[in-house]
């Protein structure tokens, strides 16, 4: 078998994480998750999107054994995360949303120690490799309290990778992170994915999900409202806009064009027509003919596909 092929996402393999009927009610009585059913495929990069308070961190923390579920089951790397906690956790790396580092430790010792926690034999070579990849090598002897926030975040990533996890969770990895770290981080993520690591991340930078993720899940009010291949999602839900650059500025849209629900933009110099790429008819032929009848001519026309961001906002709005 081609070794490269085995490194791609493997939809047929057993799921990396299998979440069944998962629910969470916090001690306060707040229901944070309700009947979550989700399989994360081995080798995929899955982006979990959702507004603040949707339940993303709760879900990740349950999979990682930090928060107890109220109902349902989670199997990660073939192990039940409750019954078989240690075995499951050893396969998981977590970069938590909150920075938690021990101020007086050095970078080297905190990352090496983390590896030991998961019962892995010492491997200075592996630790060196990840510290270099994360541009932390020249800080290896620095104490954590002397590091900037960005550097501490790099250390969190290094810790999560210290025991060579098969499954990596990144909870809001790019929130408040500088450009350089973002770039380094995406490079590391890309490399891990190429090595066959399953990656689940939450992000507010929807653009990144759009570019990086194989699949996207949207969570809102503790419920999964959508799981879809990123490309398929873009195609299926994507509204397209036809933008006509007008010959002459318009003050208002003639009444005879009302049925097309046009929008005037660009100071009256653009007409925007929105249509569904999935519809049997786009209505463009009719529109162009009606424009001709109304004596409206244009210099140029272009189309625009809506972004995942817009799709996301409209999903969350309609589900609220
Ligand atoms: N320990 C807790 N006790 C009570 N409510 C909590 C606790 N932790 C989180 N929540 C609530 O659960 C909801 C989901 O939180 P969280 O999982 O952090 O969402 P997200 O990561 O999507 O922003 C929020 O309304 C939050 O206030
Ligand atoms: Mg969160």
């Amino acid at each position: 078998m081609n070794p490269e092929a085995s490194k791609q996402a493997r939809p047929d393999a057993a799921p990396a994480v299998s979440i069944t009927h998962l629910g969470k009610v916090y001690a306060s009585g707040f229901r944070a998750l309700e009947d979550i059913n989700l399989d994360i495929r081995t080798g995929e990069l899955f982006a979990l999107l959702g507004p603040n308070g949707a339940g993303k961190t709760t879900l990740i923390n349950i999979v990682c054994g930090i928060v107890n579920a109220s109902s349902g089951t989670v199997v990660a790397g073939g192990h039940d995360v409750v019954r078989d906690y240690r075995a499951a956790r050893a396969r998981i790396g977590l970069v938590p949303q909150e920075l938690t580092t021990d101020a007086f430790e050095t970078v080297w010792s905190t990352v090496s120690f983390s590896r030991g926690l998961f019962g892995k034999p010492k491997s200075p070579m592996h630790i060196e490799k990840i510290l270099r990849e994360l541009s932390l090598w020249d800080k290896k002897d620095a104490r954590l309290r002397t590091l900037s926030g960005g550097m501490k975040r790099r250390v969190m990533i290094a810790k999560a990778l210290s025991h060579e996890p098969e499954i990596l969770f990144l909870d809001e990895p790019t929130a408040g992170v500088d450009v350089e770290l973002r770039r380094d981080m995406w490079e590391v993520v890309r490399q891990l994915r190429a090595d066959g690591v399953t990656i689940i991340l939450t992000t507010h930078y929807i653009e990144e999900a759009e570019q990086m993720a194989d699949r996207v899940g949207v969570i809102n009010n503790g419920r999964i409202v959508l799981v879809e291949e990123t490309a398929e999602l873009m195609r299926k839900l994507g509204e397209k806009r036809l933008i006509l650059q007008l010959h002459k500025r318009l003050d208002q849209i003639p009444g005879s064009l009302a049925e097309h629900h046009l929008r005037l933009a660009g100071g009256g110099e653009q007409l925007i027509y929105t249509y569904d790429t999935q519809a049997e008819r786009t209505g463009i032929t009719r529109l162009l003919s009606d424009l001709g009848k109304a004596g409206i001519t244009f210099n140029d026309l272009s189309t625009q596909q809506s972004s995942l961001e817009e799709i996301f906002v409209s999903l969350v709005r309609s589900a609220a």
Side-chain angles (χ1 to χ4, degrees):
M1 196 168 124
N2 171 5
E4 283 306 309
S6 68
K7 290 181 178 177
Q8 299 306 314
R10 296 182 296 272
D12 301 333
V17 182
S18 194
I19 299 168
T20 315
H21 297 307
L22 188 71
K24 174 65 185 177
V25 181
Y26 277 111
S28 63
F30 182 79
R31 183 177 292 278
L33 294 176
E34 196 158 355
D35 198 27
I36 303 281
N37 293 285
L38 177 66
D39 277 358
I40 304 295
R41 297 170 183 164
T42 297
E44 78 173 328
L45 197 162
F46 187 92
L48 186 62
L49 303 175
N52 263 330
K56 303 181 295 294
T57 298
T58 302
L59 181 59
I60 287 180
N61 285 349
I62 290 174
V63 178
C64 296
I66 294 166
V67 167
N68 292 322
S70 307
S71 53
T73 55
V74 179
V75 176
H79 298 275
D80 186 291
V81 299
V82 178
R83 275 201 319 260
D84 219 352
Y85 170 72
R86 287 185 68 86
R89 189 61 182 84
R91 286 165 174 78
I92 297 173
L94 167 65
V95 183
Q97 188 171 353
E98 306 297 334
L99 293 175
T100 51
T101 48
D102 187 342
F104 296 100
E105 288 290 334
T106 66
V107 171
W108 178 271
S109 68
T110 200
V111 177
S112 314
F113 180 72
S114 186
R115 180 178 172 90
L117 282 180
F118 296 102
K120 286 264 178 170
K122 283 197 165 71
S123 174
M125 258 175 59
H126 177 67
I127 305 295
E128 175 170 346
K129 177 171 165 277
I130 53 182
L131 292 185
R132 285 192 187 280
E133 277 169 3
L134 288 160
S135 310
L136 278 171
W137 184 243
D138 58 343
K139 298 273 188 224
K140 68 178 173 10
D141 299 317
R143 295 197 189 277
L144 297 175
R145 69 183 155 85
T146 67
L147 300 180
S148 67
M151 282 294 169
K152 282 184 187 141
R153 193 166 285 271
R154 287 172 196 262
V155 174
M156 301 294 289
I157 300 170
K159 273 175 76 176
L161 297 175
S162 64
H163 60 293
E164 299 164 74
E166 295 159 26
I167 305 164
L168 179 66
F169 286 92
L170 297 147
D171 196 359
E172 310 264 353
T174 49
V177 152
D178 60 67
V179 178
E180 212 177 318
L181 174 49
R182 252 166 105 173
R183 205 180 41 220
D184 278 10
M185 213 179 55
W186 286 123
E187 195 42 51
V188 170
V189 166
R190 225 171 262 133
Q191 189 55 52
L192 289 167
R193 189 182 171 284
D195 291 343
V197 175
T198 304
I199 299 158
I200 298 103
L201 58 90
T202 68
T203 180
H204 278 137
Y205 295 95
I206 293 170
E207 242 174 57
E208 288 177 344
E210 201 173 311
Q211 287 165 16
M212 302 279 298
D214 299 300
R215 286 195 306 157
V216 167
V218 177
I219 183 169
N220 194 36
N221 293 327
R223 287 178 171 275
I224 299 275
V225 291
L226 175 118
V227 176
E228 188 70 272
E229 306 274 339
T230 313
E232 181 67 9
L233 179 66
M234 304 299 291
R235 194 183 68 76
K236 224 155 106 179
L237 296 179
E239 272 185 345
K240 241 179 170 174
R241 283 184 295 269
L242 176 70
I243 300 150
L244 301 165
Q245 198 64 43
L246 299 178
H247 217 90
K248 264 193 250 130
R249 222 183 62 82
L250 273 183
D251 287 326
Q252 58 177 31
I253 297 164
S256 63
L257 298 172
E259 64 167 295
H260 298 292
H261 304 290
L262 297 169
R263 214 152 42 79
L264 210 48
E269 293 184 343
Q270 287 180 347
L271 268 183
I272 300 180
Y273 174 63
T274 306
Y275 60 98
D276 183 354
T277 53
Q278 291 297 96
E280 214 165 292
R281 289 198 176 80
T282 61
I284 292 173
T285 318
R286 274 271 296 282
L287 171 70
L288 295 183
S289 138
D290 288 352
L291 283 172
K293 282 182 208 153
I296 296 173
T297 53
F298 50 90
N299 303 328
D300 195 12
L301 102 190
S302 57
T303 57
Q304 234 176 43
Q305 185 101 26
S306 64
S307 69
L308 183 54
E309 173 121 32
E310 292 170 74
I311 291 170
F312 170 66
V313 168
S314 73
L315 253 176
V316 167
R317 212 188 284 127
S318 65

